[in-house]
Amino acid sequence: MRKWSFGVAVAGVVAVSALAGCGAAPNGIQNKTAAQAYSAMKAAVAATSGANFSGNASEGTTKMSFSGALAMKKLSLTGLTATANSGAAVAQVWVVNDEGYLQFNQQVVSLVLPLLGSSASSSLSTEAGLLAGKCIDLGSTTSSSGSPIASIGLTSGQLLAGSAPAGVKKGAVTTVDGQSVLPLTYGTSTVYIATTGPALPVEITGKSSGTTATLTFSNWNNIGAMKAPSGCVNLKSLLGGASPSPSPAA
């Protein structure tokens, strides 16, 4: 599941990101040290409430695109909607009011199962077939156990919780989609921070185990209310044979 798990990891990275508006006054971030610029970015992100995002990832000949919206409060993820596409394979994720939801089509099953090996693929094929095409209520995302996506909120909060990453380096001012930005590079990732208006990330690029990814952001502080999908069925009910408990209508 390496390709799809990378997409989930990216969801955690998205939770620290935003888009600054064009035409604003210079913020002087290019005059700061790399560590100071990172701290300024943290402060700017902490003051925001959400953004839309879009991006793409690739590994070899496999390509994936994704888009959605995130809601935040003081560096912690409070809501997420995301859609990921890889050819005809489509998966959607929601995190609304601490509840997680997932929906994917049969093409996702066909894509993921071969990656798990023959024994795992055989044991999971029946369950995956039951889940494909249905909206699944995964339960609370704040529970310490049970939820497959409980770690997303934790990851987002940890990403900016400490000081600047070791070895972070400041690059020369450049542009992303016509906007002036300052690049900060650490490891194999680079975040491009706006040099005007709030010092918010405009774009993130990164590499991981042969996978490359790019994320861009829009409509910061203007994403509207997030709503849970309707008609979802509890995961345990689907796999355990109990009477299903549909999720509340949006």
Side-chain angles (χ1 to χ4, degrees), residues 108-242:
V108 171
V109 178
S110 301
L111 176 68
V112 172
L113 286 183
L115 303 176
L116 304 179
S118 58
S119 59
S121 177
S122 175
S123 63
L124 293 175
S125 59
T126 300
E127 287 84 354
L130 289 172
L131 301 180
K134 297 180 174 65
C135 180
I136 307 159
D137 185 343
L138 299 174
S140 173
T141 61
T142 58
S143 172
S144 59
S145 62
S147 173
I149 54 176
S151 62
I152 292 178
L154 295 175
T155 301
S156 65
Q158 291 167 350
L159 283 169
L160 288 179
S163 57
V168 62
K169 296 179 180 179
K170 183 176 71 171
V173 172
T174 183
T175 59
V176 171
D177 294 333
Q179 184 171 0
S180 176
V181 293
L182 174 73
L184 289 184
T185 299
Y186 40 98
T188 58
S189 300
T190 301
V191 56
Y192 297 89
I193 306 172
T195 63
T196 58
L200 293 163
V202 173
E203 184 174 272
I204 294 177
T205 61
K207 296 181 180 180
S208 174
S209 301
T211 302
T212 61
T214 300
L215 291 167
T216 55
F217 307 89
S218 62
N219 296 328
W220 198 249
N221 284 330
N222 191 32
I223 61 171
M226 290 189 174
K227 295 183 178 180
S230 60
C232 297
V233 181
N234 183 272
L235 177 61
K236 292 182 179 179
S237 297
L238 275 174
L239 299 182

Side-chain angles (χ1 to χ4, degrees), residues 64-149:
M64 180 175 68
S65 61
F66 38 86
S67 61
L70 59 94
M72 295 177 61
K73 183 177 182 180
K74 295 182 179 180
L75 305 182
S76 294
L77 180 69
T78 59
L80 170 72
T81 63
T83 300
N85 303 73
S86 182
V90 181
Q92 293 177 278
V93 175
W94 299 262
V95 179
V96 181
N97 296 327
D98 293 329
E99 194 85 358
Y101 306 88
L102 172 67
Q103 186 166 7
F104 54 88
N105 60 12
Q106 185 61 44
Q107 287 86 342
V108 171
V109 178
S110 301
L111 176 68
V112 172
L113 286 183
L115 303 176
L116 304 179
S118 58
S119 59
S121 177
S122 175
S123 63
L124 293 175
S125 59
T126 300
E127 287 84 354
L130 289 172
L131 301 180
K134 297 180 174 65
C135 180
I136 307 159
D137 185 343
L138 299 174
S140 173
T141 61
T142 58
S143 172
S144 59
S145 62
S147 173
I149 54 176

Side-chain angles (χ1 to χ4, degrees), residues 21-87:
C22 297
N27 57 33
I29 195 169
Q30 67 270 29
N31 300 322
K32 300 179 182 293
T33 65
Q36 289 171 339
Y38 186 86
S39 295
M41 178 182 68
K42 283 179 56 177
V45 171
T48 58
S49 62
N52 293 120
F53 65 87
S54 62
N56 58 79
S58 63
E59 181 175 2
T61 58
T62 301
K63 300 182 184 299
M64 180 175 68
S65 61
F66 38 86
S67 61
L70 59 94
M72 295 177 61
K73 183 177 182 180
K74 295 182 179 180
L75 305 182
S76 294
L77 180 69
T78 59
L80 170 72
T81 63
T83 300
N85 303 73
S86 182

